[in-house]
Amino acid sequence: DLHQQENYFSREMLDRLSGKRADKVWMEAKRSDPGTVYLLFSNLNPMISSSKEDEDNRVESRLCRFRFEAVKDLLQKPQTLVIFLGVEKRKTPFSSSSSSSSPLQTEEVTQEPPAWFAISTDEDAAELLKRCREKHSCFPKLPHRDLLKLSEEEAGVVAQARSVLAWHSRYSFCPTCGSSTKMEEGGYKRRCLNSDCRSLKGVHNTCYPRVDPVVIMLVIHPDGNQCLLGRKKIFPTGLFSCLAGFVEPGESMEEAVRREVEEESGVKVGPVSYVSCQPWPMPSSLMIGCLAVAISTDIKVDENEIEDASWFTRQQVTETLLKGPRPALTIPPRQTIAHQLIRHWIGMNSNL
Amino acid sequence: DLHQQENYFSREMLDRLSGKRADKVWMEAKRSDPGTVYLLFSNLNPMISSSKEDEDNRVESRLCRFRFEAVKDLLQKPQTLVIFLGVEKRKTPFSSSSSSSSPLQTEEVTQEPPAWFAISTDEDAAELLKRCREKHSCFPKLPHRDLLKLSEEEAGVVAQARSVLAWHSRYSFCPTCGSSTKMEEGGYKRRCLNSDCRSLKGVHNTCYPRVDPVVIMLVIHPDGNQCLLGRKKIFPTGLFSCLAGFVEPGESMEEAVRREVEEESGVKVGPVSYVSCQPWPMPSSLMIGCLAVAISTDIKVDENEIEDASWFTRQQVTETLLKGPRPALTIPPRQTIAHQLIRHWIGMNSNL
Ligand SMILES: Nc1ncnc2c1ncn2[C@@H]1O[C@H](COP(=O)(O)O)[C@@H](O)[C@H]1O
Ligand SMILES: Nc1ncnc2c1ncn2[C@@H]1O[C@H](COP(=O)(O)O)[C@@H](O)[C@H]1O
Ligand SMILES: [Mg+2]
Ligand SMILES: [Mg+2]
Ligand SMILES: [Mg+2]
Ligand SMILES: [Mg+2]
Ligand SMILES: [Mg+2]
Ligand SMILES: [Mg+2]
Ligand SMILES: [Zn+2]
Ligand SMILES: [Zn+2]
């Protein structure tokens, strides 16, 4: 099967070049290269400019891209964080992605591909926006909604940058000894400044960005014709989604699916099969999407986490997929893996 | 497909009862219950007793189990950590595991199932060992080797306990502000003691155990008859294993497979398919096992991480699987997902 499902936030338009992260000379040269692309983040969100919706109602926002000259002053401020994101991928015959919207298509292959960096600054947001020549630029207020309006390519870049920045914002002290730490290796490492710290001997995960695996699952009724969806208290009226939960220490993905479904809905699950996954940069989850077959059907909702859960028929779900939100059932948008798991079950192709 | 691959460290013989973790009264009652089982950990490793190898050369070590009376004094020491692991699962017609070695089989179903706790103490190890009535008790020196000798059931318990304890040992300070933190919820949460800390507002992953997703993959040659294995400098002579690497922020599992394989071996990968996973509690990884199809074959080893990598034929691999270690090729033991991925490719059933 050559087809690989690609979810929103998953596309990698950049080669991360992890081997270059510790190469200070190379990195310094790339930082001041006139071809380098900078993205500006404030409060973990990127500066974007909103354009008219296109015919397909797809891309509505673009990342504001800056050159070295336009951000040079910010790079010099001690509070600024600069994260190396990678260099644009060369399209080769072996390249696994085959997008037609690549910014590289017309470029000479002999030229070095542009490097990308993310800058995080706590300068005044309104002042920062003045740097952008485009109209309607802003920093999104609601990332869960506003970061879903990017192109596939830019969404992937934002997933990477936002997760790394969220880690720096939450993990600036050493968890092992409480001392301050400093950023290294282009943003992919933090080193404890206390020279006696255990974290400096050997390799410790405290020094590396955190990625939280989460299972998200569509539970199928034993009759094969209904699926289990639930809603949290904070969901808008009518919205139901897949159940989900953090994988716990010492647990397999499949056992995490069984445990979370039983905890949240009381339903017991038998076979579990992996479908596809999605990085979710709020702040740094890896959503692991599965289909799960129920072996019991009575629902007993865990009221701490879920407000309601119930079985929906194939027909109800198909109607919502085809006609959009219904009073009885709204599902999350196509950019979410919950949506894609539901489409997958119904037997519809991804409409990403 | 009803068959679900179950890897070592994956079995869950306990119901984690996460809903009870915050219930102090229930927890206190369970702690002093005479039926409760305690495991003793020193330096992240459990006290085990070694028995003769059985006929199948399988289980060689058992966890030393203690009752409340035997560890009461340790529970009172301020340095002792007590982690709630869960209660023994009732065997029900719906139960997904169907082991014949369950300690519950002969018990009355009307009785409350025993709770299990892990105790971590820094008391002198030799003194601790005197508490054990069994001969040949010890704390393993090499967890990578010695923790692979347990039964499936006990291995699962150790995976959970060791990962949680490793988190406490490395994350005792708040990464957000550097203050001390205290354990809560049976060991599944740490709370910052600085009442102004950001980590107290809303939900933050800094307060929860860390699980690091790692992809581990068997890369198949385009001809379908060879697989790519590599070795680290620290491996014993002749040992080769699957390539593996940490999933990075904002990355899908499939992209992580492609990136790590190309970084470590120079080989480009096309389609990736998930096979099965394995918790690996050294200290707290989730190993995500995949098959990956190569779309290039030239090997260029990344010498920082790998000493050698090469293509092995189906025949070479089969010979090692059937006859054990060969001079030309040794593979990791059956308890590792690397071994199981190789068996899976060869088309042999798991021999767990
Ligand atoms: N890594 C984590 N990040 C955030 N919340 C977590 C994490 N691990 C466990 N939790 C807890 O899990 C709850 C959400 O439940 P669930 O997603 O179903 O596992 C949160 O409200 C937290 O109490
Ligand atoms: N969570 C983590 N824990 C330990 N090492 C990490 C982590 N994330 C990245 N690394 C780095 O990854 C190296 C191992 O490479 P790999 O397993 O191929 O990704 C380690 O030596 C660390 O430098
Ligand atoms: Mg949970
Ligand atoms: Mg839950
Ligand atoms: Mg949940
Ligand atoms: Mg890596
Ligand atoms: Mg690597
Ligand atoms: Mg590796
Ligand atoms: Zn430190
Ligand atoms: Zn704090």
Side-chain angles (χ1 to χ4, degrees), chain B residues 18-58:
Chain B
S18 66
K20 291 293 189 197
R21 290 171 186 163
D23 183 338
K24 287 192 180 140
V25 175
W26 186 90
M27 206 59 89
E28 210 40 70
K30 282 295 172 194
R31 278 168 71 142
S32 55
D33 190 305
T36 291
V37 176
Y38 283 93
L39 306 176
L40 274 186
F41 284 74
S42 174
N43 198 16
L44 300 185
N45 291 317
M47 193 189 293
I48 56 176
S49 68
S50 302
S51 53
K52 289 252 165 62
E53 300 184 11
D54 72 0
E55 273 169 35
D56 294 338
N57 191 4
R58 287 283 185 270

mmCIF file of all heavy atoms in Angstrom, chain B residues 18-58:
data_model
loop_
_atom_site.group_PDB
_atom_site.id
_atom_site.type_symbol
_atom_site.label_atom_id
_atom_site.label_comp_id
_atom_site.label_asym_id
_atom_site.label_seq_id
_atom_site.Cartn_x
_atom_site.Cartn_y
_atom_site.Cartn_z
ATOM 1 N N SER B 18 -6.968 4.999 37.571
ATOM 2 C CA SER B 18 -6.505 6.389 37.671
ATOM 3 C C SER B 18 -7.507 7.269 38.417
ATOM 4 O O SER B 18 -7.123 8.259 39.034
ATOM 5 C CB SER B 18 -6.208 6.962 36.280
ATOM 6 O OG SER B 18 -7.400 7.061 35.535
ATOM 7 N N GLY B 19 -8.777 6.887 38.400
ATOM 8 C CA GLY B 19 -9.794 7.651 39.127
ATOM 9 C C GLY B 19 -9.614 7.644 40.634
ATOM 10 O O GLY B 19 -10.153 8.501 41.344
ATOM 11 N N LYS B 20 -8.860 6.663 41.144
ATOM 12 C CA LYS B 20 -8.659 6.569 42.595
ATOM 13 C C LYS B 20 -7.412 7.319 43.071
ATOM 14 O O LYS B 20 -7.183 7.454 44.275
ATOM 15 C CB LYS B 20 -8.514 5.100 43.003
ATOM 16 C CG LYS B 20 -9.787 4.277 42.861
ATOM 17 C CD LYS B 20 -10.832 4.745 43.863
ATOM 18 C CE LYS B 20 -12.026 3.799 43.876
ATOM 19 N NZ LYS B 20 -13.192 4.449 44.524
ATOM 20 N N ARG B 21 -6.584 7.777 42.123
ATOM 21 C CA ARG B 21 -5.292 8.342 42.526
ATOM 22 C C ARG B 21 -5.403 9.544 43.443
ATOM 23 O O ARG B 21 -4.565 9.751 44.318
ATOM 24 C CB ARG B 21 -4.476 8.720 41.282
ATOM 25 C CG ARG B 21 -3.981 7.527 40.513
ATOM 26 C CD ARG B 21 -3.368 7.948 39.192
ATOM 27 N NE ARG B 21 -3.026 6.766 38.386
ATOM 28 C CZ ARG B 21 -2.784 6.800 37.085
ATOM 29 N NH1 ARG B 21 -2.836 7.961 36.423
ATOM 30 N NH2 ARG B 21 -2.489 5.705 36.430
ATOM 31 N N ALA B 22 -6.452 10.334 43.223
ATOM 32 C CA ALA B 22 -6.605 11.549 44.027
ATOM 33 C C ALA B 22 -7.464 11.303 45.269
ATOM 34 O O ALA B 22 -7.696 12.222 46.064
ATOM 35 C CB ALA B 22 -7.210 12.661 43.177
ATOM 36 N N ASP B 23 -7.922 10.080 45.457
ATOM 37 C CA ASP B 23 -8.811 9.754 46.582
ATOM 38 C C ASP B 23 -7.960 9.346 47.792
ATOM 39 O O ASP B 23 -7.592 8.189 47.969
ATOM 40 C CB ASP B 23 -9.742 8.615 46.144
ATOM 41 C CG ASP B 23 -10.754 8.231 47.213
ATOM 42 O OD1 ASP B 23 -10.514 8.513 48.411
ATOM 43 O OD2 ASP B 23 -11.778 7.634 46.852
ATOM 44 N N LYS B 24 -7.654 10.330 48.644
ATOM 45 C CA LYS B 24 -6.694 10.103 49.726
ATOM 46 C C LYS B 24 -7.162 9.060 50.728
ATOM 47 O O LYS B 24 -6.355 8.301 51.263
ATOM 48 C CB LYS B 24 -6.394 11.425 50.448
ATOM 49 C CG LYS B 24 -5.522 12.327 49.594
ATOM 50 C CD LYS B 24 -4.956 13.500 50.380
ATOM 51 C CE LYS B 24 -4.094 14.354 49.457
ATOM 52 N NZ LYS B 24 -4.258 15.797 49.697
ATOM 53 N N VAL B 25 -8.454 9.042 50.992
ATOM 54 C CA VAL B 25 -8.984 8.098 51.982
ATOM 55 C C VAL B 25 -8.836 6.669 51.474
ATOM 56 O O VAL B 25 -8.318 5.781 52.160
ATOM 57 C CB VAL B 25 -10.473 8.413 52.285
ATOM 58 C CG1 VAL B 25 -11.068 7.362 53.212
ATOM 59 C CG2 VAL B 25 -10.596 9.822 52.867
ATOM 60 N N TRP B 26 -9.246 6.463 50.237
ATOM 61 C CA TRP B 26 -9.134 5.129 49.621
ATOM 62 C C TRP B 26 -7.675 4.684 49.590
ATOM 63 O O TRP B 26 -7.339 3.563 49.946
ATOM 64 C CB TRP B 26 -9.713 5.200 48.201
ATOM 65 C CG TRP B 26 -9.802 3.877 47.496
ATOM 66 C CD1 TRP B 26 -10.858 3.009 47.520
ATOM 67 C CD2 TRP B 26 -8.803 3.268 46.660
ATOM 68 N NE1 TRP B 26 -10.570 1.908 46.749
ATOM 69 C CE2 TRP B 26 -9.322 2.031 46.213
ATOM 70 C CE3 TRP B 26 -7.517 3.655 46.247
ATOM 71 C CZ2 TRP B 26 -8.608 1.173 45.364
ATOM 72 C CZ3 TRP B 26 -6.800 2.805 45.419
ATOM 73 C CH2 TRP B 26 -7.349 1.572 44.985
ATOM 74 N N MET B 27 -6.813 5.605 49.163
ATOM 75 C CA MET B 27 -5.390 5.293 49.023
ATOM 76 C C MET B 27 -4.785 4.919 50.374
ATOM 77 O O MET B 27 -4.028 3.950 50.480
ATOM 78 C CB MET B 27 -4.684 6.518 48.435
ATOM 79 C CG MET B 27 -3.430 6.235 47.679
ATOM 80 S SD MET B 27 -3.666 5.122 46.282
ATOM 81 C CE MET B 27 -4.072 6.275 44.981
ATOM 82 N N GLU B 28 -5.132 5.679 51.404
ATOM 83 C CA GLU B 28 -4.612 5.433 52.745
ATOM 84 C C GLU B 28 -5.052 4.047 53.229
ATOM 85 O O GLU B 28 -4.248 3.291 53.788
ATOM 86 C CB GLU B 28 -5.137 6.533 53.690
ATOM 87 C CG GLU B 28 -4.231 6.874 54.838
ATOM 88 C CD GLU B 28 -2.744 6.900 54.462
ATOM 89 O OE1 GLU B 28 -2.300 7.807 53.719
ATOM 90 O OE2 GLU B 28 -2.029 5.982 54.918
ATOM 91 N N ALA B 29 -6.299 3.702 52.951
ATOM 92 C CA ALA B 29 -6.814 2.387 53.370
ATOM 93 C C ALA B 29 -6.069 1.277 52.634
ATOM 94 O O ALA B 29 -5.692 0.263 53.228
ATOM 95 C CB ALA B 29 -8.313 2.305 53.092
ATOM 96 N N LYS B 30 -5.845 1.471 51.350
ATOM 97 C CA LYS B 30 -5.140 0.440 50.575
ATOM 98 C C LYS B 30 -3.699 0.273 51.045
ATOM 99 O O LYS B 30 -3.160 -0.821 51.055
ATOM 100 C CB LYS B 30 -5.137 0.800 49.077
ATOM 101 C CG LYS B 30 -6.443 0.512 48.381
ATOM 102 C CD LYS B 30 -6.737 -0.987 48.369
ATOM 103 C CE LYS B 30 -8.142 -1.268 47.857
ATOM 104 N NZ LYS B 30 -8.583 -2.643 48.133
ATOM 105 N N ARG B 31 -3.074 1.394 51.401
ATOM 106 C CA ARG B 31 -1.672 1.306 51.823
ATOM 107 C C ARG B 31 -1.483 0.392 53.032
ATOM 108 O O ARG B 31 -0.497 -0.331 53.095
ATOM 109 C CB ARG B 31 -1.109 2.707 52.123
ATOM 110 C CG ARG B 31 -0.665 3.419 50.846
ATOM 111 C CD ARG B 31 -0.372 4.877 51.066
ATOM 112 N NE ARG B 31 0.841 5.097 51.836
ATOM 113 C CZ ARG B 31 1.710 6.077 51.612
ATOM 114 N NH1 ARG B 31 1.499 6.931 50.613
ATOM 115 N NH2 ARG B 31 2.768 6.244 52.364
ATOM 116 N N SER B 32 -2.438 0.412 53.959
ATOM 117 C CA SER B 32 -2.265 -0.422 55.153
ATOM 118 C C SER B 32 -3.045 -1.730 55.061
ATOM 119 O O SER B 32 -3.096 -2.493 56.025
ATOM 120 C CB SER B 32 -2.689 0.372 56.389
ATOM 121 O OG SER B 32 -4.006 0.840 56.212
ATOM 122 N N ASP B 33 -3.626 -2.015 53.938
ATOM 123 C CA ASP B 33 -4.384 -3.257 53.764
ATOM 124 C C ASP B 33 -3.423 -4.455 53.797
ATOM 125 O O ASP B 33 -2.381 -4.439 53.133
ATOM 126 C CB ASP B 33 -5.116 -3.191 52.414
ATOM 127 C CG ASP B 33 -6.112 -4.311 52.229
ATOM 128 O OD1 ASP B 33 -5.734 -5.501 52.346
ATOM 129 O OD2 ASP B 33 -7.289 -4.006 51.959
ATOM 130 N N PRO B 34 -3.763 -5.485 54.568
ATOM 131 C CA PRO B 34 -2.852 -6.632 54.651
ATOM 132 C C PRO B 34 -2.713 -7.394 53.327
ATOM 133 O O PRO B 34 -1.734 -8.117 53.129
ATOM 134 C CB PRO B 34 -3.480 -7.526 55.723
ATOM 135 C CG PRO B 34 -4.879 -7.056 55.876
ATOM 136 C CD PRO B 34 -4.915 -5.620 55.479
ATOM 137 N N GLY B 35 -3.650 -7.218 52.402
ATOM 138 C CA GLY B 35 -3.556 -7.892 51.111
ATOM 139 C C GLY B 35 -2.699 -7.159 50.089
ATOM 140 O O GLY B 35 -2.389 -7.686 49.020
ATOM 141 N N THR B 36 -2.342 -5.920 50.408
ATOM 142 C CA THR B 36 -1.602 -5.084 49.466
ATOM 143 C C THR B 36 -0.190 -5.609 49.212
ATOM 144 O O THR B 36 0.468 -6.106 50.120
ATOM 145 C CB THR B 36 -1.569 -3.638 49.999
ATOM 146 O OG1 THR B 36 -2.899 -3.115 49.922
ATOM 147 C CG2 THR B 36 -0.630 -2.751 49.191
ATOM 148 N N VAL B 37 0.249 -5.490 47.962
ATOM 149 C CA VAL B 37 1.582 -5.960 47.559
ATOM 150 C C VAL B 37 2.514 -4.755 47.378
ATOM 151 O O VAL B 37 2.157 -3.792 46.680
ATOM 152 C CB VAL B 37 1.502 -6.750 46.236
ATOM 153 C CG1 VAL B 37 2.895 -7.152 45.748
ATOM 154 C CG2 VAL B 37 0.604 -7.970 46.391
ATOM 155 N N TYR B 38 3.682 -4.825 47.999
ATOM 156 C CA TYR B 38 4.691 -3.775 47.833
ATOM 157 C C TYR B 38 5.909 -4.316 47.099
ATOM 158 O O TYR B 38 6.367 -5.425 47.399
ATOM 159 C CB TYR B 38 5.139 -3.235 49.197
ATOM 160 C CG TYR B 38 4.141 -2.299 49.835
ATOM 161 C CD1 TYR B 38 3.175 -2.784 50.723
ATOM 162 C CD2 TYR B 38 4.152 -0.943 49.536
ATOM 163 C CE1 TYR B 38 2.242 -1.917 51.300
ATOM 164 C CE2 TYR B 38 3.232 -0.076 50.115
ATOM 165 C CZ TYR B 38 2.275 -0.575 50.986
ATOM 166 O OH TYR B 38 1.372 0.281 51.549
ATOM 167 N N LEU B 39 6.424 -3.532 46.162
ATOM 168 C CA LEU B 39 7.692 -3.849 45.511
ATOM 169 C C LEU B 39 8.712 -2.839 45.999
ATOM 170 O O LEU B 39 8.379 -1.671 46.208
ATOM 171 C CB LEU B 39 7.549 -3.730 43.986
ATOM 172 C CG LEU B 39 6.407 -4.537 43.369
ATOM 173 C CD1 LEU B 39 6.329 -4.256 41.869
ATOM 174 C CD2 LEU B 39 6.580 -6.024 43.643
ATOM 175 N N LEU B 40 9.950 -3.290 46.192
ATOM 176 C CA LEU B 40 10.989 -2.387 46.702
ATOM 177 C C LEU B 40 11.969 -2.013 45.595
ATOM 178 O O LEU B 40 12.550 -2.897 44.963
ATOM 179 C CB LEU B 40 11.762 -3.071 47.830
ATOM 180 C CG LEU B 40 11.188 -2.956 49.230
ATOM 181 C CD1 LEU B 40 12.150 -3.572 50.245
ATOM 182 C CD2 LEU B 40 10.945 -1.489 49.572
ATOM 183 N N PHE B 41 12.136 -0.711 45.376
ATOM 184 C CA PHE B 41 13.091 -0.232 44.366
ATOM 185 C C PHE B 41 14.232 0.518 45.034
ATOM 186 O O PHE B 41 14.029 1.308 45.957
ATOM 187 C CB PHE B 41 12.406 0.701 43.364
ATOM 188 C CG PHE B 41 11.538 -0.017 42.356
ATOM 189 C CD1 PHE B 41 10.306 -0.549 42.726
ATOM 190 C CD2 PHE B 41 11.952 -0.159 41.036
ATOM 191 C CE1 PHE B 41 9.503 -1.207 41.805
ATOM 192 C CE2 PHE B 41 11.163 -0.820 40.103
ATOM 193 C CZ PHE B 41 9.934 -1.347 40.491
ATOM 194 N N SER B 42 15.428 0.256 44.540
ATOM 195 C CA SER B 42 16.596 0.987 44.994
ATOM 196 C C SER B 42 17.326 1.433 43.732
ATOM 197 O O SER B 42 17.561 0.612 42.834
ATOM 198 C CB SER B 42 17.475 0.046 45.833
ATOM 199 O OG SER B 42 18.686 0.688 46.163
ATOM 200 N N ASN B 43 17.618 2.696 43.616
ATOM 201 C CA ASN B 43 18.343 3.174 42.445
ATOM 202 C C ASN B 43 17.616 2.795 41.137
ATOM 203 O O ASN B 43 18.235 2.378 40.167
ATOM 204 C CB ASN B 43 19.771 2.593 42.487
ATOM 205 C CG ASN B 43 20.718 3.345 41.593
ATOM 206 O OD1 ASN B 43 20.421 4.457 41.159
ATOM 207 N ND2 ASN B 43 21.850 2.731 41.290
ATOM 208 N N LEU B 44 16.297 2.904 41.180
ATOM 209 C CA LEU B 44 15.388 2.639 40.051
ATOM 210 C C LEU B 44 15.187 1.169 39.706
ATOM 211 O O LEU B 44 14.416 0.845 38.800
ATOM 212 C CB LEU B 44 15.800 3.397 38.772
ATOM 213 C CG LEU B 44 15.852 4.919 38.849
ATOM 214 C CD1 LEU B 44 16.166 5.497 37.460
ATOM 215 C CD2 LEU B 44 14.538 5.491 39.372
ATOM 216 N N ASN B 45 15.864 0.256 40.425
ATOM 217 C CA ASN B 45 15.688 -1.155 40.094
ATOM 218 C C ASN B 45 14.987 -1.922 41.200
ATOM 219 O O ASN B 45 15.203 -1.653 42.381
ATOM 220 C CB ASN B 45 17.041 -1.782 39.754
ATOM 221 C CG ASN B 45 17.553 -1.223 38.441
ATOM 222 O OD1 ASN B 45 16.794 -1.079 37.491
ATOM 223 N ND2 ASN B 45 18.837 -0.878 38.400
ATOM 224 N N PRO B 46 14.134 -2.885 40.829
ATOM 225 C CA PRO B 46 13.342 -3.622 41.817
ATOM 226 C C PRO B 46 14.135 -4.753 42.446
ATOM 227 O O PRO B 46 15.009 -5.335 41.804
ATOM 228 C CB PRO B 46 12.211 -4.210 40.963
ATOM 229 C CG PRO B 46 12.834 -4.441 39.626
ATOM 230 C CD PRO B 46 13.854 -3.330 39.443
ATOM 231 N N MET B 47 13.817 -5.076 43.685
ATOM 232 C CA MET B 47 14.419 -6.248 44.307
ATOM 233 C C MET B 47 13.823 -7.489 43.646
ATOM 234 O O MET B 47 12.597 -7.614 43.540
ATOM 235 C CB MET B 47 14.133 -6.269 45.813
ATOM 236 C CG MET B 47 14.996 -7.289 46.550
ATOM 237 S SD MET B 47 14.500 -7.518 48.267
ATOM 238 C CE MET B 47 14.903 -5.938 49.004
ATOM 239 N N ILE B 48 14.707 -8.367 43.168
ATOM 240 C CA ILE B 48 14.246 -9.592 42.521
ATOM 241 C C ILE B 48 14.931 -10.784 43.165
ATOM 242 O O ILE B 48 15.964 -10.642 43.828
ATOM 243 C CB ILE B 48 14.576 -9.601 41.002
ATOM 244 C CG1 ILE B 48 16.078 -9.391 40.768
ATOM 245 C CG2 ILE B 48 13.780 -8.537 40.265
ATOM 246 C CD1 ILE B 48 16.500 -9.486 39.311
ATOM 247 N N SER B 49 14.332 -11.951 42.990
ATOM 248 C CA SER B 49 15.042 -13.161 43.409
ATOM 249 C C SER B 49 15.198 -14.038 42.184
ATOM 250 O O SER B 49 14.303 -14.138 41.353
ATOM 251 C CB SER B 49 14.293 -13.872 44.528
ATOM 252 O OG SER B 49 13.098 -14.396 44.039
ATOM 253 N N SER B 50 16.384 -14.618 42.059
ATOM 254 C CA SER B 50 16.679 -15.405 40.866
ATOM 255 C C SER B 50 16.396 -16.865 41.146
ATOM 256 O O SER B 50 16.788 -17.396 42.178
ATOM 257 C CB SER B 50 18.147 -15.246 40.484
ATOM 258 O OG SER B 50 18.404 -13.880 40.281
ATOM 259 N N SER B 51 15.691 -17.485 40.248
ATOM 260 C CA SER B 51 15.401 -18.901 40.409
ATOM 261 C C SER B 51 16.120 -19.648 39.291
ATOM 262 O O SER B 51 16.664 -19.042 38.382
ATOM 263 C CB SER B 51 13.902 -19.142 40.330
ATOM 264 O OG SER B 51 13.400 -18.574 39.138
ATOM 265 N N LYS B 52 16.104 -20.969 39.364
ATOM 266 C CA LYS B 52 16.644 -21.760 38.264
ATOM 267 C C LYS B 52 15.862 -21.439 36.997
ATOM 268 O O LYS B 52 14.679 -21.149 37.048
ATOM 269 C CB LYS B 52 16.508 -23.256 38.586
ATOM 270 C CG LYS B 52 17.442 -23.722 39.683
ATOM 271 C CD LYS B 52 18.577 -24.585 39.107
ATOM 272 C CE LYS B 52 19.699 -24.754 40.110
ATOM 273 N NZ LYS B 52 19.247 -25.451 41.333
ATOM 274 N N GLU B 53 16.530 -21.564 35.870
ATOM 275 C CA GLU B 53 15.821 -21.386 34.601
ATOM 276 C C GLU B 53 14.817 -22.521 34.442
ATOM 277 O O GLU B 53 15.092 -23.639 34.802
ATOM 278 C CB GLU B 53 16.820 -21.440 33.440
ATOM 279 C CG GLU B 53 17.855 -20.340 33.561
ATOM 280 C CD GLU B 53 18.800 -20.298 32.364
ATOM 281 O OE1 GLU B 53 18.514 -20.977 31.372
ATOM 282 O OE2 GLU B 53 19.783 -19.557 32.450
ATOM 283 N N ASP B 54 13.649 -22.220 33.907
ATOM 284 C CA ASP B 54 12.688 -23.293 33.690
ATOM 285 C C ASP B 54 13.002 -24.000 32.379
ATOM 286 O O ASP B 54 13.945 -23.644 31.670
ATOM 287 C CB ASP B 54 11.252 -22.769 33.752
ATOM 288 C CG ASP B 54 10.893 -21.949 32.550
ATOM 289 O OD1 ASP B 54 11.739 -21.774 31.661
ATOM 290 O OD2 ASP B 54 9.758 -21.459 32.497
ATOM 291 N N GLU B 55 12.208 -25.011 32.057
ATOM 292 C CA GLU B 55 12.490 -25.824 30.870
ATOM 293 C C GLU B 55 12.670 -25.019 29.595
ATOM 294 O O GLU B 55 13.544 -25.272 28.795
ATOM 295 C CB GLU B 55 11.363 -26.837 30.650
ATOM 296 C CG GLU B 55 11.590 -28.136 31.434
ATOM 297 C CD GLU B 55 10.353 -29.002 31.407
ATOM 298 O OE1 GLU B 55 9.658 -29.001 30.379
ATOM 299 O OE2 GLU B 55 10.083 -29.671 32.426
ATOM 300 N N ASP B 56 11.778 -24.041 29.435
ATOM 301 C CA ASP B 56 11.820 -23.241 28.210
ATOM 302 C C ASP B 56 12.881 -22.158 28.270
ATOM 303 O O ASP B 56 12.942 -21.310 27.386
ATOM 304 C CB ASP B 56 10.468 -22.567 27.967
ATOM 305 C CG ASP B 56 9.397 -23.593 27.679
ATOM 306 O OD1 ASP B 56 9.766 -24.705 27.258
ATOM 307 O OD2 ASP B 56 8.218 -23.277 27.901
ATOM 308 N N ASN B 57 13.658 -22.143 29.351
ATOM 309 C CA ASN B 57 14.696 -21.133 29.461
ATOM 310 C C ASN B 57 14.063 -19.740 29.514
ATOM 311 O O ASN B 57 14.604 -18.777 29.021
ATOM 312 C CB ASN B 57 15.639 -21.258 28.254
ATOM 313 C CG ASN B 57 16.877 -20.420 28.426
ATOM 314 O OD1 ASN B 57 17.067 -19.796 29.483
ATOM 315 N ND2 ASN B 57 17.708 -20.370 27.413
ATOM 316 N N ARG B 58 12.882 -19.668 30.085
ATOM 317 C CA ARG B 58 12.154 -18.404 30.075
ATOM 318 C C ARG B 58 12.355 -17.586 31.360
ATOM 319 O O ARG B 58 13.359 -16.936 31.512
ATOM 320 C CB ARG B 58 10.650 -18.648 29.850
ATOM 321 C CG ARG B 58 10.338 -19.044 28.419
ATOM 322 C CD ARG B 58 10.382 -17.797 27.527
ATOM 323 N NE ARG B 58 9.965 -18.114 26.158
ATOM 324 C CZ ARG B 58 10.790 -18.508 25.197
ATOM 325 N NH1 ARG B 58 12.071 -18.660 25.448
ATOM 326 N NH2 ARG B 58 10.332 -18.749 23.980
#
